Amino acid sequence: MPSPDIVAFFIMGAAAVACAIGMVTTKNPIHAALWLVGNFISLAVIYLMLKAPVLFALQLIVYAGAIMVLFLFVIMFFMSPEARRWLHPPLRSQLLFGGLATIALIGLLGWGTAEGLGNLGYADPFEQRDLETTHADQSEHMGDNPRDLGTWMFSYEVLPFELTSLLLLAALLGATMVARDVREEGRGRLVHHAAVEHPGASTNGAIATHQPVEVEA
Amino acid sequence: MGYDFNPLISYSVMLSAILFTIGVAGVMVHRHPVIIFMCIELMLNAANLALIAFNRHHYSQLWPSLDGQVYAFMVIAIAAAEVAIGLAIIVSLFKRRVRIDVDEINLLRG
């Protein structure tokens, strides 16, 4: 009889894989988002089993909370009924080469994982080790609390942490720049340019008229 | 030594490989940009799982390193930034075009 945490891991791992497959096979973005939430939650439980409670909480808050809300906002805002046209099936060649590359990647990752785990001493990954005896030589202090993580992060990884804040600021500004409405904002200048260089040419490539274009602002 | 020999670690690494592969397959098969983004998130999560599992493995009393968890934390932050930028790009595409297909989006500007 396997130990309870192994059983729990297999349940959560099966849920994660099932949710991932469901996400990849669906064509509806909203269904994909819901499958992805299931995958995030089961992965969060696995983080908890690996004694990373901080990342468990972050996974739930940031991924299953914030990032999924962002995805759903975009999907819901722009999912018009006539936009269902791009719910088209994948191309046949895409399926063929994607499938071949996937099989090759499975082989590569399987080989690499087996090789790497063998080097680390997990020659037989399905071997059941006695957890109590292997944990006995370690103290009960296993670095599984938020305090240890914070101490370690601010002792040894301060610079990457600060660079992360810079990255988030840059992403904030970049997202604002990219998503702004260019057409409304740039119209005045574009019309001005066109009117100066080619009087009478309309700005958006339509047929030029002989009426001078009103330059706004 | 003092490594944490725990079968969960090897299972986690295998699960990480499986999830990463599913994510790659999704990126290659799908043409909807939002679903492709979700597949990228799946791959980032798989990488996070591997980071945390190896951190668990390498944690020892002699060198109580939590670098794996710290970098998983940073991967989450980077994923958030990437999603913000990527969804902003998708929003601007939705504003300009009727048909959204990654095969037809080939201009950086215009």
Side-chain angles (χ1 to χ4, degrees), chain A residues 117-148:
Chain A
L117 290 176
N119 288 343
L120 287 180
Y122 294 102
D124 178 12
F126 295 101
E127 175 191 352
Q128 295 289 330
R129 288 190 173 84
D130 193 356
L131 295 181
E132 278 68 32
T133 55
T134 47
H135 283 178
D137 56 345
Q138 314 223 352
S139 80
E140 67 280 2
H141 185 63
M142 284 297 295
D144 57 353
N145 49 356
R147 184 178 153 185
D148 280 0

Short mmCIF file of all heavy atoms in Angstrom, two decimals, chain A residues 117-148:
data_model
loop_
_atom_site.label_atom_id
_atom_site.label_comp_id
_atom_site.label_asym_id
_atom_site.label_seq_id
_atom_site.Cartn_x
_atom_site.Cartn_y
_atom_site.Cartn_z
N LEU A 117 17.62 11.79 -13.37
CA LEU A 117 17.24 11.24 -12.07
C LEU A 117 18.17 10.11 -11.68
O LEU A 117 18.48 9.92 -10.50
CB LEU A 117 15.79 10.75 -12.11
CG LEU A 117 14.74 11.85 -12.20
CD1 LEU A 117 13.37 11.26 -12.34
CD2 LEU A 117 14.79 12.72 -10.97
N GLY A 118 18.65 9.34 -12.69
CA GLY A 118 19.61 8.31 -12.40
C GLY A 118 20.89 8.91 -11.82
O GLY A 118 21.45 8.40 -10.84
N ASN A 119 21.32 10.05 -12.40
CA ASN A 119 22.53 10.69 -11.89
C ASN A 119 22.34 11.20 -10.47
O ASN A 119 23.28 11.25 -9.69
CB ASN A 119 22.91 11.87 -12.79
CG ASN A 119 23.46 11.42 -14.10
OD1 ASN A 119 23.84 10.25 -14.24
ND2 ASN A 119 23.48 12.30 -15.08
N LEU A 120 21.13 11.58 -10.14
CA LEU A 120 20.88 12.11 -8.80
C LEU A 120 20.68 11.01 -7.78
O LEU A 120 20.46 11.29 -6.61
CB LEU A 120 19.64 13.01 -8.80
CG LEU A 120 19.81 14.36 -9.47
CD1 LEU A 120 18.53 15.13 -9.41
CD2 LEU A 120 20.90 15.14 -8.78
N GLY A 121 20.69 9.77 -8.19
CA GLY A 121 20.51 8.68 -7.24
C GLY A 121 19.13 8.08 -7.28
O GLY A 121 18.82 7.19 -6.48
N TYR A 122 18.29 8.56 -8.18
CA TYR A 122 16.97 7.95 -8.33
C TYR A 122 17.03 6.96 -9.48
O TYR A 122 16.40 7.16 -10.51
CB TYR A 122 15.92 9.01 -8.64
CG TYR A 122 15.68 9.99 -7.54
CD1 TYR A 122 16.21 11.26 -7.61
CD2 TYR A 122 14.90 9.65 -6.45
CE1 TYR A 122 15.98 12.17 -6.60
CE2 TYR A 122 14.67 10.56 -5.46
CZ TYR A 122 15.21 11.81 -5.54
OH TYR A 122 14.97 12.71 -4.55
N ALA A 123 17.85 5.93 -9.35
CA ALA A 123 18.01 5.01 -10.47
C ALA A 123 16.68 4.37 -10.81
O ALA A 123 16.31 4.25 -11.97
CB ALA A 123 19.03 3.94 -10.13
N ASP A 124 15.95 3.99 -9.79
CA ASP A 124 14.61 3.43 -10.02
C ASP A 124 13.61 4.40 -9.43
O ASP A 124 13.42 4.44 -8.22
CB ASP A 124 14.50 2.06 -9.35
CG ASP A 124 13.11 1.49 -9.52
OD1 ASP A 124 12.34 2.04 -10.33
OD2 ASP A 124 12.79 0.50 -8.84
N PRO A 125 13.00 5.22 -10.25
CA PRO A 125 12.12 6.25 -9.68
C PRO A 125 10.89 5.68 -9.01
O PRO A 125 10.25 6.37 -8.22
CB PRO A 125 11.75 7.10 -10.90
CG PRO A 125 11.98 6.24 -12.07
CD PRO A 125 13.09 5.31 -11.71
N PHE A 126 10.55 4.44 -9.31
CA PHE A 126 9.36 3.88 -8.68
C PHE A 126 9.68 3.12 -7.40
O PHE A 126 8.81 2.52 -6.80
CB PHE A 126 8.64 2.96 -9.68
CG PHE A 126 8.13 3.71 -10.85
CD1 PHE A 126 8.80 3.71 -12.05
CD2 PHE A 126 6.98 4.47 -10.74
CE1 PHE A 126 8.34 4.43 -13.12
CE2 PHE A 126 6.50 5.20 -11.81
CZ PHE A 126 7.19 5.17 -13.00
N GLU A 127 10.95 3.17 -7.04
CA GLU A 127 11.34 2.49 -5.81
C GLU A 127 10.72 3.23 -4.61
O GLU A 127 10.76 4.45 -4.53
CB GLU A 127 12.86 2.51 -5.71
CG GLU A 127 13.42 1.96 -4.43
CD GLU A 127 14.90 2.27 -4.31
OE1 GLU A 127 15.48 2.77 -5.29
OE2 GLU A 127 15.44 2.01 -3.23
N GLN A 128 10.16 2.48 -3.72
CA GLN A 128 9.55 3.08 -2.54
C GLN A 128 10.59 3.15 -1.43
O GLN A 128 11.06 2.15 -0.94
CB GLN A 128 8.36 2.23 -2.07
CG GLN A 128 7.21 2.19 -3.05
CD GLN A 128 6.47 3.51 -3.13
OE1 GLN A 128 6.42 4.24 -2.15
NE2 GLN A 128 5.94 3.82 -4.28
N ARG A 129 10.93 4.37 -1.08
CA ARG A 129 11.86 4.51 0.04
C ARG A 129 11.06 4.75 1.30
O ARG A 129 9.98 5.31 1.29
CB ARG A 129 12.80 5.68 -0.22
CG ARG A 129 13.82 5.40 -1.28
CD ARG A 129 14.85 6.51 -1.28
NE ARG A 129 15.94 6.20 -2.18
CZ ARG A 129 15.91 6.44 -3.48
NH1 ARG A 129 14.84 6.97 -4.00
NH2 ARG A 129 16.93 6.15 -4.23
N ASP A 130 11.67 4.35 2.40
CA ASP A 130 11.00 4.55 3.67
C ASP A 130 11.19 6.00 4.09
O ASP A 130 12.31 6.44 4.38
CB ASP A 130 11.59 3.60 4.72
CG ASP A 130 10.72 3.55 5.96
OD1 ASP A 130 9.72 4.31 6.00
OD2 ASP A 130 11.04 2.78 6.86
N LEU A 131 10.11 6.76 4.07
CA LEU A 131 10.24 8.19 4.30
C LEU A 131 10.70 8.49 5.71
O LEU A 131 11.46 9.42 5.94
CB LEU A 131 8.91 8.88 4.03
CG LEU A 131 8.43 8.82 2.60
CD1 LEU A 131 7.12 9.55 2.46
CD2 LEU A 131 9.45 9.44 1.70
N GLU A 132 10.25 7.69 6.67
CA GLU A 132 10.57 7.99 8.06
C GLU A 132 12.08 7.88 8.30
O GLU A 132 12.68 8.74 8.93
CB GLU A 132 9.82 7.05 9.00
CG GLU A 132 8.39 7.46 9.28
CD GLU A 132 7.50 7.35 8.06
OE1 GLU A 132 7.76 6.45 7.23
OE2 GLU A 132 6.60 8.17 7.90
N THR A 133 12.70 6.82 7.75
CA THR A 133 14.13 6.67 8.02
C THR A 133 14.95 7.69 7.26
O THR A 133 15.96 8.19 7.77
CB THR A 133 14.61 5.26 7.64
OG1 THR A 133 14.26 5.04 6.28
CG2 THR A 133 13.96 4.20 8.50
N THR A 134 14.52 8.06 6.04
CA THR A 134 15.32 9.04 5.33
C THR A 134 15.15 10.43 5.91
O THR A 134 16.04 11.26 5.82
CB THR A 134 14.95 9.08 3.84
OG1 THR A 134 13.54 9.14 3.74
CG2 THR A 134 15.48 7.87 3.12
N HIS A 135 14.02 10.68 6.52
CA HIS A 135 13.85 11.98 7.16
C HIS A 135 14.46 12.01 8.55
O HIS A 135 14.60 13.09 9.12
CB HIS A 135 12.37 12.33 7.28
CG HIS A 135 11.80 12.81 5.98
ND1 HIS A 135 10.50 13.14 5.82
CD2 HIS A 135 12.39 13.00 4.79
CE1 HIS A 135 10.30 13.51 4.57
NE2 HIS A 135 11.43 13.42 3.93
N ALA A 136 14.80 10.83 9.08
CA ALA A 136 15.23 10.80 10.47
C ALA A 136 16.54 11.53 10.65
O ALA A 136 16.77 12.17 11.69
CB ALA A 136 15.35 9.36 10.94
N ASP A 137 17.43 11.46 9.63
CA ASP A 137 18.74 12.09 9.84
C ASP A 137 18.69 13.60 9.60
O ASP A 137 19.68 14.28 9.78
CB ASP A 137 19.78 11.43 8.93
CG ASP A 137 19.37 11.49 7.48
OD1 ASP A 137 18.18 11.77 7.23
OD2 ASP A 137 20.21 11.28 6.61
N GLN A 138 17.57 14.10 9.19
CA GLN A 138 17.45 15.54 9.05
C GLN A 138 16.67 16.07 10.26
O GLN A 138 15.88 15.37 10.84
CB GLN A 138 16.68 15.88 7.78
CG GLN A 138 17.16 15.09 6.61
CD GLN A 138 17.27 15.94 5.38
OE1 GLN A 138 16.85 17.08 5.37
NE2 GLN A 138 17.87 15.39 4.35
N SER A 139 16.91 17.30 10.55
CA SER A 139 16.13 17.87 11.65
C SER A 139 14.72 18.17 11.13
O SER A 139 14.46 18.13 9.94
CB SER A 139 16.79 19.13 12.17
OG SER A 139 16.48 20.20 11.31
N GLU A 140 13.84 18.49 12.04
CA GLU A 140 12.47 18.75 11.62
C GLU A 140 12.36 20.08 10.90
O GLU A 140 11.37 20.40 10.29
CB GLU A 140 11.53 18.72 12.83
CG GLU A 140 11.75 19.83 13.82
CD GLU A 140 12.90 19.56 14.75
OE1 GLU A 140 13.58 18.52 14.62
OE2 GLU A 140 13.15 20.41 15.62
N HIS A 141 13.45 20.87 10.95
CA HIS A 141 13.45 22.18 10.32
C HIS A 141 13.83 22.00 8.86
O HIS A 141 14.97 21.78 8.52
CB HIS A 141 14.48 23.05 11.05
CG HIS A 141 14.49 24.45 10.58
ND1 HIS A 141 13.41 25.27 10.70
CD2 HIS A 141 15.46 25.17 9.99
CE1 HIS A 141 13.72 26.45 10.20
NE2 HIS A 141 14.95 26.41 9.76
N MET A 142 12.85 22.07 7.96
CA MET A 142 13.10 21.65 6.58
C MET A 142 13.00 22.80 5.60
O MET A 142 12.88 22.58 4.41
CB MET A 142 12.10 20.57 6.18
CG MET A 142 12.41 19.22 6.77
SD MET A 142 13.99 18.62 6.17
CE MET A 142 13.62 18.43 4.45
N GLY A 143 13.03 24.03 6.06
CA GLY A 143 12.94 25.13 5.13
C GLY A 143 11.60 25.22 4.44
O GLY A 143 11.51 25.65 3.31
N ASP A 144 10.56 24.79 5.12
CA ASP A 144 9.25 24.77 4.47
C ASP A 144 8.34 25.86 5.02
O ASP A 144 7.13 25.78 4.89
CB ASP A 144 8.59 23.40 4.64
CG ASP A 144 8.47 23.01 6.09
OD1 ASP A 144 9.00 23.74 6.94
OD2 ASP A 144 7.84 21.99 6.37
N ASN A 145 8.92 26.90 5.61
CA ASN A 145 8.07 27.98 6.11
C ASN A 145 8.39 29.28 5.38
O ASN A 145 9.48 29.45 4.86
CB ASN A 145 8.23 28.14 7.62
CG ASN A 145 9.67 28.20 8.02
OD1 ASN A 145 10.54 28.04 7.17
ND2 ASN A 145 9.95 28.44 9.26
N PRO A 146 7.43 30.19 5.35
CA PRO A 146 7.64 31.46 4.64
C PRO A 146 8.83 32.24 5.17
O PRO A 146 9.50 32.94 4.41
CB PRO A 146 6.33 32.21 4.87
CG PRO A 146 5.34 31.17 5.17
CD PRO A 146 6.07 30.06 5.85
N ARG A 147 9.09 32.10 6.46
CA ARG A 147 10.18 32.88 7.04
C ARG A 147 11.53 32.50 6.43
O ARG A 147 12.34 33.37 6.10
CB ARG A 147 10.18 32.63 8.54
CG ARG A 147 11.19 33.46 9.27
CD ARG A 147 11.08 33.20 10.72
NE ARG A 147 12.36 33.44 11.36
CZ ARG A 147 12.59 33.19 12.61
NH1 ARG A 147 11.63 32.68 13.37
NH2 ARG A 147 13.75 33.43 13.14
N ASP A 148 11.75 31.19 6.26
CA ASP A 148 13.00 30.76 5.65
C ASP A 148 13.13 31.28 4.24
O ASP A 148 14.21 31.73 3.82
CB ASP A 148 13.08 29.23 5.63
CG ASP A 148 13.49 28.70 6.98
OD1 ASP A 148 13.70 29.52 7.88
OD2 ASP A 148 13.58 27.47 7.12
#
